Short mmCIF file of all heavy atoms in Angstrom, two decimals:
data_model
loop_
_atom_site.label_atom_id
_atom_site.label_comp_id
_atom_site.label_asym_id
_atom_site.label_seq_id
_atom_site.Cartn_x
_atom_site.Cartn_y
_atom_site.Cartn_z
N GLY A 138 42.22 22.88 -52.69
CA GLY A 138 41.27 23.04 -51.60
C GLY A 138 40.00 23.66 -52.15
O GLY A 138 40.04 24.47 -53.07
N LEU A 139 38.88 23.28 -51.58
CA LEU A 139 37.58 23.73 -52.05
C LEU A 139 37.11 24.94 -51.26
O LEU A 139 37.32 25.04 -50.05
CB LEU A 139 36.53 22.62 -51.91
CG LEU A 139 35.30 22.70 -52.81
CD1 LEU A 139 35.69 22.52 -54.28
CD2 LEU A 139 34.26 21.66 -52.41
N SER A 140 36.46 25.87 -51.95
CA SER A 140 35.90 27.08 -51.34
C SER A 140 34.41 26.91 -51.09
O SER A 140 33.83 25.86 -51.37
CB SER A 140 36.15 28.28 -52.26
OG SER A 140 37.54 28.46 -52.51
N THR A 141 33.78 27.92 -50.51
CA THR A 141 32.37 27.88 -50.12
C THR A 141 31.47 27.40 -51.24
O THR A 141 31.49 27.95 -52.35
CB THR A 141 31.92 29.27 -49.66
OG1 THR A 141 32.68 29.67 -48.54
CG2 THR A 141 30.45 29.25 -49.25
N PRO A 142 30.64 26.40 -50.98
CA PRO A 142 29.71 25.92 -52.00
C PRO A 142 28.42 26.77 -52.05
O PRO A 142 28.04 27.40 -51.06
CB PRO A 142 29.38 24.48 -51.55
CG PRO A 142 29.48 24.55 -50.06
CD PRO A 142 30.58 25.55 -49.77
N THR A 143 27.79 26.76 -53.24
CA THR A 143 26.45 27.30 -53.40
C THR A 143 25.52 26.15 -53.76
O THR A 143 25.80 25.39 -54.69
CB THR A 143 26.42 28.36 -54.53
OG1 THR A 143 27.23 29.47 -54.13
CG2 THR A 143 25.02 28.84 -54.80
N LEU A 144 24.41 26.02 -53.04
CA LEU A 144 23.47 24.93 -53.29
C LEU A 144 22.43 25.37 -54.27
O LEU A 144 22.04 26.55 -54.30
CB LEU A 144 22.81 24.49 -51.98
CG LEU A 144 23.73 24.19 -50.79
CD1 LEU A 144 22.92 23.70 -49.60
CD2 LEU A 144 24.77 23.18 -51.16
N TYR A 145 21.96 24.42 -55.10
CA TYR A 145 20.94 24.77 -56.11
C TYR A 145 19.86 23.73 -56.17
O TYR A 145 20.09 22.52 -56.31
CB TYR A 145 21.60 24.92 -57.48
CG TYR A 145 20.67 25.52 -58.50
CD1 TYR A 145 20.37 26.87 -58.48
CD2 TYR A 145 20.03 24.76 -59.47
CE1 TYR A 145 19.48 27.46 -59.38
CE2 TYR A 145 19.15 25.30 -60.38
CZ TYR A 145 18.88 26.65 -60.32
OH TYR A 145 17.99 27.22 -61.22
N ASP A 146 18.61 24.20 -56.08
CA ASP A 146 17.40 23.39 -56.10
C ASP A 146 16.76 23.54 -57.48
O ASP A 146 16.27 24.62 -57.81
CB ASP A 146 16.45 23.86 -54.99
CG ASP A 146 15.11 23.17 -55.03
OD1 ASP A 146 14.94 22.19 -55.74
OD2 ASP A 146 14.20 23.66 -54.30
N THR A 147 16.77 22.49 -58.27
CA THR A 147 16.28 22.61 -59.67
C THR A 147 14.77 22.59 -59.80
O THR A 147 14.24 23.12 -60.77
CB THR A 147 16.87 21.46 -60.52
OG1 THR A 147 16.43 20.20 -59.98
CG2 THR A 147 18.37 21.49 -60.55
N ASN A 148 14.04 21.96 -58.87
CA ASN A 148 12.60 21.81 -59.04
C ASN A 148 11.76 22.58 -58.01
O ASN A 148 10.53 22.41 -57.96
CB ASN A 148 12.23 20.33 -59.01
CG ASN A 148 12.66 19.62 -57.74
OD1 ASN A 148 13.00 20.28 -56.75
ND2 ASN A 148 12.67 18.31 -57.76
N GLY A 149 12.39 23.39 -57.17
CA GLY A 149 11.64 24.23 -56.26
C GLY A 149 11.01 23.52 -55.07
O GLY A 149 10.09 24.08 -54.46
N ASP A 150 11.49 22.33 -54.73
CA ASP A 150 10.89 21.59 -53.61
C ASP A 150 11.61 21.89 -52.29
O ASP A 150 11.30 21.29 -51.27
CB ASP A 150 10.86 20.10 -53.87
CG ASP A 150 12.25 19.48 -53.99
OD1 ASP A 150 13.27 20.24 -53.98
OD2 ASP A 150 12.33 18.24 -54.13
N GLY A 151 12.58 22.80 -52.31
CA GLY A 151 13.28 23.14 -51.10
C GLY A 151 14.47 22.25 -50.77
O GLY A 151 15.13 22.43 -49.77
N VAL A 152 14.72 21.27 -51.62
CA VAL A 152 15.84 20.34 -51.42
C VAL A 152 16.81 20.50 -52.58
O VAL A 152 16.46 20.27 -53.73
CB VAL A 152 15.37 18.89 -51.34
CG1 VAL A 152 16.54 17.93 -51.16
CG2 VAL A 152 14.37 18.71 -50.18
N PRO A 153 18.06 20.89 -52.32
CA PRO A 153 19.01 21.07 -53.43
C PRO A 153 19.48 19.76 -53.98
O PRO A 153 19.73 18.78 -53.25
CB PRO A 153 20.19 21.84 -52.77
CG PRO A 153 20.13 21.39 -51.33
CD PRO A 153 18.67 21.22 -51.00
N GLU A 154 19.56 19.70 -55.30
CA GLU A 154 20.12 18.51 -55.97
C GLU A 154 21.59 18.67 -56.30
O GLU A 154 22.30 17.67 -56.45
CB GLU A 154 19.37 18.24 -57.26
CG GLU A 154 17.92 17.78 -57.11
CD GLU A 154 16.97 18.95 -56.82
OE1 GLU A 154 17.28 20.09 -57.25
OE2 GLU A 154 15.96 18.70 -56.16
N TYR A 155 22.04 19.92 -56.38
CA TYR A 155 23.42 20.19 -56.81
C TYR A 155 24.07 21.21 -55.91
O TYR A 155 23.41 22.02 -55.24
CB TYR A 155 23.45 20.68 -58.26
CG TYR A 155 22.88 19.72 -59.26
CD1 TYR A 155 21.59 19.89 -59.78
CD2 TYR A 155 23.62 18.62 -59.66
CE1 TYR A 155 21.06 18.97 -60.67
CE2 TYR A 155 23.08 17.71 -60.56
CZ TYR A 155 21.80 17.89 -61.08
OH TYR A 155 21.29 16.99 -61.97
#
Side-chain angles (χ1 to χ4, degrees):
L139 202 68
S140 302
T141 299
T143 295
L144 308 184
Y145 190 74
D146 173 13
T147 60
N148 57 14
D150 65 354
V152 178
E154 292 79 27
Y155 299 102

